[in-house]
Amino acid sequence: MIELIMGSFRELCLVMMVCCFSQSLFAQNQWDIQLSLQTVDCATNQACYALELRSASGTDWTLGDQNYRLFFDGDLTTVTSVSSLLPGAFYGPAVIDQNLKIAGQGQEAFSPLNDIDDNLGFLDFNITQTDKSNPGAAQLITTASFTQVAEICVDVDPAVINDENGTTCLAFYHSRPETAGSLTTQYTVVSENDTPNNVIASTGAGYDDLTEADGQAACLGAFCAAGTNSWNIRFNLADVDCFANTACYNLELQSSSGSDWALGDQNYRIFFDGDLSTVTSVTSLLPGAFYGPATIDQNVKVSGQGQEAASPLDDIDDNLGFLDFSIVQSDKTNPAAAQQIITADFVAVAEICVSVEPEVINNVDGNTCLAFYHSRPATAGSVTEQYTVVSENDVPNNTVSAAGLNYDDLTAADGNGACLGAACVQSWDIQLTQSLVNCADKTACYTLELQSASGMDWALGDQNYRFFFDADIMTVTSVTSLLDGAYYGAANIDQNLAVSGQGQEAFSPLDDIDDNLGFLDFSIVQTDKSNPAAAQQILTSGFTGVAEICVSFVPEVLTDETGTNCLTFYHSRPATAGAFTGQYTVISENNGPNSTNLTSGATYNDVVDDCLDAACPDCLEIDLRVYLEGSLIIPQTGLYQVPMRTDLNSSKLLPGQYSENAFSGNIYTPALGTPGQAYNISPWNYSGNEGTFFDSEAMSANADAGYPATVTDWILVSLRSNPTDGSEILCQRAALLHQDGSVQFVDEDYCCELDPGQPYYIVVEHRNHLIIMSAESIPVINGFLTYDFTDKQSYLNDPFNSGVFVRQKEVVPGVFAMIAGNGEQSSPDNEDTDITAADFAKWLLNGPETRTYNLVDYNMDGEVSALDYELWETNSPLFTSVLRD
């Protein structure tokens, strides 16, 4: 038995088991999986395959964590590398857990592994979704086509490459019960990222193993012998007429060689189910200057053909259709100007139109499906040796054979592309897009939009829309039709109500909003159904607005920083409504004059947690660092050290703290002001109430008043747009300065009215240091103004290089600090922002003093002494060019 790797993916499996249990009432999304040959190096015996996923649920969904397990023929193959092909912003690299070979394993006869178990290879690798926060931005697994998730590269035994007959072939089997048998219970596991930071299990539907039936994709000897360039081929539904019972398919080619090449002559051979379809025409889509028309050589049906059971034709051989047509390259003189077969995408080369039996169109469940198979050894068997042949126009007037690599047949696995009854029931995607927000009035409007999910456009008929919303947060105020009044009536609200205490099932997303569940039900009637072509078309190419829904919302939406008070709309459908109601959104198609037909919903894009962040952005946040010279200096030595001292804090002298001393008395709420910020005095007269909660109430048990131990002092921060306008204060807040220079704004609602698209100058003031300003205006990035004064000089306006003005002091090499000694900031004229004799005079009047929170405590040690004079004397006189009126 293959041993289970007991690593990080065990946790994934456990999480998925829990998710499966908790979400057991949800229909899990499903996937198909296949291996697609990407590159072959016939000289070095190497090949690479893409591992691909496609949604088999009828809806697209977001890929979560994955664990892939594959068996391979160890005699012919060695896995050399596995690489993730998913976006690195959301997914980690591919991590190989096991890559081993086990000789003589002896698998059950029923398993396909029985043919390769002499030296059975087992590959186990995982890809983790590292960012699950935004499912809408991560990798979608779509119904429309396969998505490449990983590349598996292998060394190939020369016997495979050298077998030009294509009988020695590689084999890869996806691990699942049908293949693994009793060998292991480690199967491929894929999860869905259904909601932010959550994954749930998904289930495998179609497993396309790589076997000799895949022709040259597995039998690389035939590929290497066929020619240099190679191609992939597929059918793509181009048009269906559900009334005339006709359909047309584009036959398309893509280069699988890693390079583009010029298309030469072609001969296409195709099998089809003659009971359900008849080929009516084949038309070349290639430029007529270089290619002739499509010439049908055979278009026949053979009854009772009796195909081998191993062939997919066995299901359609009661009346086996065979189409053989050619397109000749009439001008081979200029390969560069001819049709290029490119690696980037498929190129349509011909259109095949068919008439379809009514039972295909009428089977709306999609159980009766067309089938087209490309002729190749894996399908043709003994019926014919006429296979599709495509050549390359390699040089002027010459062609060489190109090799077929991947053959994408048209089968029931292609969904609406083959099962036209399902395609004729039109389907739609629905979403709400924010169209208007008035932050002042606390109103918002959303455009309700539809898009065709059927692969074709169709005319909109009658509609009935049902939504759930959180009635605690918002109220629907109006619904307006956006459709042409010549064909549609007004939006008519049938219900707009709130139901308290509903108690919704836990599986439903409504469980989060059912305390006061809002329900909106409105209809728009198509008043004129006589001309579907003139009515509103629902397009595949983009969403069409059909109605506008406006709401009012509670103020908490704009002030709640936790993201719990946000707007939410859910489209009513079984997955959301549960037992609450059987009234779902219903939309009809105007499918003929005075006729309508019901359509089906494919993808429902709910509005979940729209917190109006973009329309009503959060207040600007300032990320700031600054040093004070007075707190960096060692008073007794005059030397500087980092971090800053916290003497005022540790001595319990900050505003609101309680300093006790049995001899000199207790100090509470110093003369500079009340508890909290220290700038409510002249000259600042700042009225903010920041920090009023830092209050000891003169209690010994609360002497520190709740200040963090790292706080040095209070500073005052403001913003300007004009550096020379000292009167301009666009925003101003007091903040705590910590010993490491970081600044803490205790009031989170600051600078809320500013334009985040404009840059700002940051101004910092302290009660006894020179005012400073950022050297340049700072742009707002992701809502933040970020500046570090400690590692760069501040603003200087000295156009004549007079040398009179100063900025910060470089206290040690590369470290800058605000300059101490400006204790008198109420002086007249410009002297208030300079260090002059006025600051000495104030010191002289206030000292000496101990245990004090004082404007002339220039070294910030809690005392007014000769040491403060010495610091003032060192810095006097100094003048700043930062103005303050």
Side-chain angles (χ1 to χ4, degrees):
M1 298 287 287
I2 294 176
E3 181 183 359
L4 176 64
I5 288 288
M6 308 298 287
S8 61
F9 216 77
R10 165 180 280 177
E11 283 71 28
L12 170 63
C13 296
L14 291 174
V15 168
M16 292 185 66
M17 289 172 65
V18 172
C19 291
C20 289
F21 179 77
S22 64
Q23 302 288 340
S24 59
L25 294 178
F26 273 112
Q28 293 176 340
N29 275 312
Q30 296 179 300
W31 38 268
D32 300 326
I33 191 168
Q34 70 177 18
L35 286 161
S36 174
L37 182 61
Q38 300 301 295
T39 61
V40 179
D41 191 325
C42 303
T44 61
N45 300 338
Q46 294 174 322
C48 292
Y49 292 86
L51 185 67
E52 302 176 335
L53 294 176
R54 179 178 64 184
S55 172
S57 314
T59 59
D60 302 342
W61 48 273
T62 301
L63 184 61
D65 301 316
Q66 313 130 63
N67 204 158
Y68 301 100
R69 279 89 175 221
L70 300 102
F71 301 102
F72 59 91
D73 187 343
D75 283 334
L76 299 179
T77 315
T78 298
V79 175
T80 56
S81 68
V82 180
S83 304
S84 171
L85 300 178
L86 297 171
F90 295 91
Y91 301 88
V95 177
I96 297 177
D97 298 312
Q98 292 188 80
N99 180 12
L100 50 84
K101 299 179 183 182
I102 303 177
Q105 177 62 37
Q107 179 64 351
E108 292 96 333
F110 76 83
S111 169
L113 304 186
N114 185 245
D115 295 332
I116 62 172
D117 62 1
D118 288 342
N119 191 14
L120 184 63
F122 183 64
L123 173 64
D124 179 346
F125 70 93
N126 68 77
I127 301 176
T128 299
Q129 186 184 16
T130 52
D131 183 352
K132 300 178 174 68
S133 63
N134 188 356
Q139 181 63 60
L140 279 181
I141 301 302
T142 67
T143 60
S145 61
F146 278 92
T147 298
Q148 295 184 346
V149 298
E151 183 180 66
I152 302 170
C153 292
V154 297
D155 284 341
V156 180
D157 190 275
V160 178
I161 301 295
N162 296 333
D163 183 0
E164 297 184 2
N165 295 320
T167 57
T168 306
C169 308
L170 303 187
F172 276 93
Y173 293 94
H174 303 283
S175 181
R176 58 197 189 272
E178 294 83 357
T179 56
S182 60
L183 182 62
T184 183
T185 56
Q186 295 183 73
Y187 310 132
T188 287
V189 177
V190 176
S191 71
E192 174 192 1
N193 179 201
D194 62 328
T195 58
N197 300 312
N198 189 65
V199 296
I200 59 173
S202 62
T203 58
Y207 296 83
D208 189 356
D209 303 310
L210 182 76
T211 68
E212 62 182 4
D214 292 290
Q216 294 177 357
C219 309
L220 302 181
F223 172 84
C224 289
T228 302
N229 281 310
S230 60
W231 40 268
N232 304 325
I233 193 168
R234 73 177 184 187
F235 298 100
N236 190 20
L237 181 62
D239 182 58
V240 59
D241 189 327
C242 302
F243 305 104
N245 296 343
T246 61
C248 292
Y249 292 86
N250 285 345
L251 185 66
E252 300 177 339
L253 294 177
Q254 178 189 45
S255 172
S256 54
S257 316
S259 59
D260 303 343
W261 47 273
L263 183 61
D265 300 320
Q266 313 129 64
N267 203 158
Y268 300 100
R269 279 86 176 224
I270 298 163
F271 300 103
F272 59 93
D273 186 344
D275 282 333
L276 298 179
S277 58
T278 299
V279 175
T280 55
S281 67
V282 179
T283 306
S284 172
L285 300 178
L286 297 172
F290 294 90
Y291 301 89
T295 301
I296 297 178
D297 301 308
Q298 288 189 81
N299 181 11
V300 298
K301 297 181 181 180
V302 181
S303 300
Q305 175 63 37
Q307 179 64 354
E308 293 96 333
S311 169
L313 303 186
D314 185 53
D315 294 331
I316 62 172
D317 63 358
D318 288 342
N319 193 13
L320 185 64
F322 184 65
L323 173 65
D324 179 345
F325 71 93
S326 59
I327 301 176
V328 175
Q329 185 185 17
S330 54
D331 183 350
K332 299 179 173 68
T333 60
N334 189 355
Q339 178 64 60
Q340 301 300 299
I341 303 302
I342 61 176
T343 60
D345 202 357
F346 279 89
V347 174
V349 297
E351 182 183 67
I352 303 170
C353 293
V354 297
S355 61
V356 181
E357 289 299 309
E359 64 186 278
V360 177
I361 300 294
N362 296 334
N363 188 330
V364 296
D365 294 327
N367 297 325
T368 305
C369 309
L370 302 186
F372 284 93
Y373 292 94
H374 303 282
S375 180
R376 59 197 189 272
T379 55
S382 61
V383 173
T384 183
E385 293 183 356
Q386 297 183 66
Y387 311 133
T388 289
V389 176
V390 176
S391 69
E392 174 194 2
N393 181 198
D394 59 334
V395 294
N397 299 313
N398 190 67
T399 60
V400 295
S401 179
L405 188 57
N406 290 309
Y407 297 82
D408 189 356
D409 303 309
L410 182 77
T411 67
D414 292 293
N416 293 354
C419 310
L420 302 182
C424 287
V425 175
Q426 304 293 356
S427 59
W428 37 266
D429 301 328
I430 192 169
Q431 68 179 20
L432 284 162
T433 301
Q434 186 187 99
S435 56
L436 174 69
V437 177
N438 188 318
C439 305
D441 293 343
K442 300 177 182 60
T443 58
C445 294
Y446 293 84
T447 301
L448 180 64
E449 300 175 330
L450 294 176
Q451 177 179 256
S452 173
S454 316
M456 63 194 72
D457 304 341
W458 48 274
L460 183 62
D462 301 320
Q463 313 129 64
N464 204 156
Y465 301 100
R466 278 91 177 218
F467 297 92
F468 301 102
F469 60 92
D470 188 344
D472 280 333
I473 302 298
M474 61 184 178
T475 301
V476 175
T477 56
S478 67
V479 180
T480 307
S481 172
L482 301 178
L483 298 172
D484 187 347
Y487 295 91
Y488 300 89
N492 183 54
I493 297 178
D494 301 308
Q495 290 187 80
N496 181 13
L497 51 85
V499 182
S500 300
Q502 174 60 36
Q504 181 66 355
E505 294 97 333
F507 79 83
S508 169
L510 303 187
D511 185 53
D512 294 333
I513 62 173
D514 62 359
D515 288 341
N516 195 16
L517 185 63
F519 184 64
L520 173 65
D521 179 346
F522 70 92
S523 58
I524 301 176
V525 175
Q526 186 184 18
T527 53
D528 184 350
K529 299 179 173 68
S530 63
N531 188 357
Q536 180 64 60
Q537 302 299 300
I538 302 303
L539 308 174
T540 61
S541 58
F543 281 90
T544 298
V546 296
E548 183 178 64
I549 303 171
C550 293
V551 302
S552 61
F553 53 83
V554 297
E556 288 79 4
V557 173
L558 300 182
T559 59
D560 180 12
E561 296 294 329
T562 65
T564 56
N565 290 295
C566 304
L567 307 189
T568 297
F569 276 100
Y570 290 99
H571 302 279
S572 182
R573 58 197 190 271
T576 55
F580 179 64
T581 183
Q583 298 182 65
Y584 312 132
T585 289
V586 177
I587 298 173
S588 68
E589 175 197 5
N590 182 199
N591 62 335
N594 300 312
S595 175
T596 60
N597 188 41
L598 286 180
T599 62
S600 62
T603 302
Y604 298 81
N605 294 311
D606 303 308
V607 173
V608 181
D609 292 340
D610 183 2
C611 302
L612 305 183
D613 292 336
C616 302
D618 292 336
C619 304
L620 297 187
E621 296 190 47
I622 302 176
D623 185 2
L624 184 64
R625 293 186 76 238
V626 64
Y627 284 147
L628 300 175
E629 180 190 11
S631 291
L632 286 177
I633 199 168
I634 303 172
Q636 292 77 17
T637 67
L639 300 176
Y640 296 95
Q641 65 178 8
V642 175
M644 292 184 289
R645 292 178 289 106
T646 58
D647 295 355
L648 297 175
N649 194 351
S650 60
S651 298
K652 308 295 188 294
L653 298 174
L654 291 175
Q657 291 185 329
Y658 185 50
S659 178
E660 298 177 281
N661 190 292
F663 298 101
S664 59
N666 301 333
I667 300 174
Y668 169 63
T669 307
L672 269 179
T674 58
Q677 61 92 2
Y679 297 92
N680 55 356
I681 61 172
S682 177
W684 303 282
N685 298 313
Y686 174 64
S687 60
N689 60 3
E690 292 96 312
T692 54
F693 47 81
F694 291 125
D695 189 358
S696 64
E697 298 181 339
M699 298 173 60
S700 298
N702 192 29
D704 64 6
Y707 280 94
T710 57
V711 169
T712 295
D713 199 1
W714 287 92
I715 60 174
L716 189 63
V717 180
S718 59
L719 300 181
R720 301 179 186 177
S721 62
N722 183 353
T724 62
D725 185 355
S727 65
E728 182 186 38
I729 299 177
L730 299 177
C731 169
Q732 189 173 57
R733 291 292 184 271
L736 294 176
L737 177 63
H738 290 263
Q739 64 183 150
D740 64 353
S742 62
V743 176
Q744 176 188 357
F745 292 90
V746 295
D747 179 2
E748 294 184 355
D749 294 329
Y750 55 93
C751 304
C752 299
E753 293 79 29
L754 300 185
D755 182 356
Q758 297 298 318
Y760 299 96
Y761 288 87
I762 302 176
V763 178
V764 179
E765 299 177 69
H766 183 260
R767 56 197 178 84
N768 58 23
H769 285 63
L770 282 183
I771 185 173
I772 61 172
M773 183 166 62
S774 59
E776 65 276 325
S777 59
I778 312 303
V780 179
I781 299 176
N782 296 327
F784 278 84
L785 281 171
T786 302
Y787 199 78
D788 189 346
F789 283 97
T790 69
D791 64 4
K792 63 178 69 66
Q793 267 295 8
S794 54
Y795 175 84
L796 177 67
N797 183 16
D798 190 8
F800 301 108
N801 296 316
S802 66
V804 171
F805 300 111
V806 297
R807 298 191 280 185
Q808 295 187 99
K809 180 182 288 189
E810 189 171 8
V811 292
V812 296
V815 177
F816 301 88
M818 296 175 69
I819 300 174
N822 189 21
E824 177 54 272
Q825 299 192 33
S826 297
S827 301
D829 301 322
N830 291 331
E831 197 172 346
D832 62 330
T833 55
D834 299 325
I835 298 176
T836 66
D839 302 298
F840 164 73
K842 192 174 186 76
W843 170 83
L844 196 60
L845 290 172
N846 280 269
E849 190 172 353
T850 61
R851 296 175 60 226
T852 182
Y853 186 77
N854 199 300
L855 290 173
V856 294
D857 177 18
Y858 296 138
N859 63 18
M860 300 181 66
D861 63 355
E863 299 181 357
V864 177
S865 68
L867 295 174
D868 299 304
Y869 166 77
E870 291 174 3
L871 184 54
W872 167 84
E873 185 181 36
T874 301
N875 291 335
S876 179
L878 291 176
F879 308 94
T880 176
S881 60
V882 179
L883 301 179
R884 182 186 68 198
D885 289 349

